[in-house]
Amino acid sequence: MAASTTSPPPDRSFRVVAPVIALCWLAVFFDGMDVNIYGATMPHLLADESLGFTPALAGTIGSWTTFGMLIGALATGTLTDWLGRKPLVMGSVVLFSVGSALCAVAPDATLFGAGRFLSGLGLGGLMPISLAIVAEFAPPRRAALATGLMMTSYHAGGMAATGIGLVVAPEHGWRWVFWAGVLPALIAVPLVLKWLPESPGVLFTRGRTEQAYAVADRYRLERPGAQQAPQAGAKGRLAAITALFAPGTRWATPLLWIASFAGLLLVYGVSTWLPELMRATGYSLSSSVTFLMVINAGGIVGMLIAGRTADRFGPVKVSALWFVLTAVGTFLLRAQLPLGAAYVVVFITGIWLFSAQVMVYAATSRVYAPRERATGLGWVTGIGRTGAVVGPTLGGAVLAGGNAGLGFTTFAVAAVLGAVAISLVPLAARHRRGRGTDTAPAPTPATG
């Protein structure tokens, strides 16, 4: 059918796809809120003797959360082309909402940890699906900016969690903060059910051709064909995974995994332990919790800067530079700076830290062909979650040893590792597959 291969009008703008990006923004906002609730309530959890929390146990429970994320990301990244983007977005939101409710009623650390693990399954599943949706619907040559815009929501959610923790926990207890984590299921799920479109490629694979064309035409996407649609069935899932190690990507794939590992070690290690690290350095309890809000505010600014810069110069270059600047910022936090100066350094570090990792995702979207993109993103986020498992545990172990400066040094080393790994991706993907994909980031705006 000739119409099925006709390119869309060249006017797909942010205005056209705004509803899709807005729904992903809302879902990831609640993702960021749920992740950061743990760090925002950490001082109160440690002070609640009935739970029996210690810094080491708190770090272990943080790792249970990120281990759940690892499983969720790997599972959904592989299953999303089979079950569909929309059902998995809703399922992921419901999972982390139920996990938050379980934490709110937990009588001890064991049940609390089970709730965080359940939340992790949903949190890990949501991110790669949302990234894949945005990469598919983003305006041409604006994928990095669209990714950055969506990821501002993660940090807005982190700021919301910090605000709730500062206002609610001291007066009403930490349990009410986790009850706020039930809101996503009540707010986001109905909106996603009604308004989020399914991927045209997934619809085409299921034989719903007319519906696939209707969605593609509405959002000015190319109508899907056999080359763009993911393969169906278990054989298709296996083919998508093995394609990650095809000649053009077999070396880029592990480098992306390493960069994601380093980035997520930073993101979750800092999100979990920044208040306690700053407190151990000598700052007050209220100031230490406020640092979490400040670094997330920097993260929002950083997403906007990184997205626009990466669309011009390529996400690999931006990610590498941002990792290096993160190393500098985290190392500076070893010193006990005056409070005002500390806020400035934390804010600036937030600009680089979070968007360095997001630009790894933007680079991933360019390395893999459209039919393997969701699987590639799922595995990059999933394997990277091992860093998210290591980060909270490492932070807890360092704090248990009473050396906050070593914690900041460890985060700086992780940032250097991320910079090296992502810098090597273009070299590894140089001999890429000739399948019409905008693979390796290049120094020009057209291919960057």
Side-chain angles (χ1 to χ4, degrees):
M1 190 175 196
S4 67
T5 58
T6 302
S7 297
D11 60 349
R12 185 176 7 131
S13 63
F14 276 108
R15 181 179 178 182
V16 172
V17 299
V20 178
I21 295 178
L23 285 169
C24 291
W25 191 99
L26 179 64
V28 176
F29 169 88
F30 286 122
D31 182 307
M33 189 177 83
D34 194 283
V35 169
N36 284 275
I37 275 177
Y38 190 49
T41 57
M42 184 65 71
H44 303 282
L45 293 169
L46 290 169
D48 188 342
E49 295 181 359
S50 66
L51 284 177
F53 265 48
T54 64
L57 178 59
T60 299
I61 290 177
S63 294
W64 292 355
T65 310
T66 49
F67 183 66
M69 290 178 181
L70 186 157
I71 296 173
L74 292 179
T76 56
T78 303
L79 296 176
T80 182
D81 291 330
W82 177 28
L83 300 177
R85 312 278 199 264
K86 190 170 179 175
L88 286 177
V89 167
M90 293 188 293
S92 296
V93 173
V94 169
L95 270 178
F96 67 72
S97 296
V98 172
S100 189
L102 190 60
C103 289
V105 300
D108 54 36
T110 300
L111 191 60
F112 185 95
R116 291 306 293 167
F117 175 77
L118 186 62
S119 291
L121 292 174
L123 294 167
L126 181 62
M127 190 63 72
I129 302 171
S130 299
L131 289 166
I133 292 171
V134 169
E136 182 174 9
F137 283 82
R141 305 181 193 276
R142 291 294 179 267
L145 177 57
T147 300
L149 284 171
M150 184 198 75
M151 290 301 295
T152 62
S153 62
Y154 178 91
H155 303 288
M159 293 177 68
T162 306
I164 294 171
L166 285 170
V167 173
V168 176
E171 294 294 327
H172 304 286
W174 60 265
R175 294 183 187 276
W176 282 103
V177 181
F178 282 92
W179 278 120
V182 179
L183 292 175
L186 303 177
I187 298 174
V189 169
L191 294 174
V192 168
L193 178 63
K194 184 172 183 179
W195 298 110
L196 185 68
E198 185 54 87
S199 162
V202 171
L203 293 171
F204 184 86
T205 298
R206 293 178 172 182
R208 297 159 64 180
T209 306
E210 293 304 319
Q211 189 176 353
Y213 291 170
V215 173
D217 292 346
R218 179 179 178 182
Y219 294 99
R220 306 293 194 268
L221 303 173
E222 182 179 354
R223 286 185 168 186
Q227 293 301 313
Q228 292 78 32
Q231 297 183 49
K235 184 178 180 180
R237 305 288 67 73
L238 180 61
I241 294 172
T242 56
L244 305 184
F245 297 94
T249 56
R250 63 171 54 126
W251 295 112
T253 291
L255 287 169
L256 288 167
W257 289 358
I258 293 170
S260 185
F261 167 88
L264 287 171
L265 186 154
L266 285 164
V267 168
Y268 288 95
V270 170
S271 295
T272 301
W273 287 112
L274 181 64
E276 285 299 306
L277 283 171
M278 298 305 288
R279 190 178 180 187
T281 306
Y283 299 96
S284 68
L285 173 60
S286 60
S287 296
S288 297
V289 175
T290 305
F291 281 119
L292 194 59
M293 181 177 286
V294 171
I295 200 168
N296 276 289
I300 293 176
V301 175
M303 294 299 170
L304 299 175
I305 295 173
R308 293 183 66 87
T309 307
D311 279 329
R312 182 173 182 183
F313 298 104
V316 164
K317 289 182 177 180
V318 172
S319 181
L321 177 59
W322 265 225
F323 270 126
V324 170
L325 293 171
T326 297
V328 174
T330 52
F331 192 78
L332 286 175
L333 291 175
R334 287 170 47 93
Q336 187 176 358
L337 303 169
L339 184 60
Y343 280 136
V344 171
V345 172
V346 168
F347 178 82
I348 293 175
T349 301
I351 292 177
W352 319 125
L353 188 154
F354 298 104
S355 49
Q357 169 64 23
V358 172
M359 290 303 105
V360 173
Y361 297 147
T364 301
S365 296
R366 299 188 179 196
V367 168
Y368 300 115
R371 66 191 302 170
E372 290 99 33
R373 186 172 292 147
T375 300
L377 282 165
W379 279 76
V380 166
T381 56
I383 297 297
R385 295 294 177 186
T386 57
V389 172
V390 170
T393 301
L394 197 58
V398 169
L399 270 175
N403 191 342
L406 179 60
F408 289 119
T409 301
T410 301
F411 291 141
V413 171
V416 172
L417 174 64
V420 172
I422 195 65
S423 296
L424 293 174
V425 167
L427 179 64
R430 179 174 293 172
H431 303 292
R432 60 188 184 263
R433 299 162 294 179
R435 294 189 296 178
T437 177
D438 53 345
T439 306
T444 64
T447 57

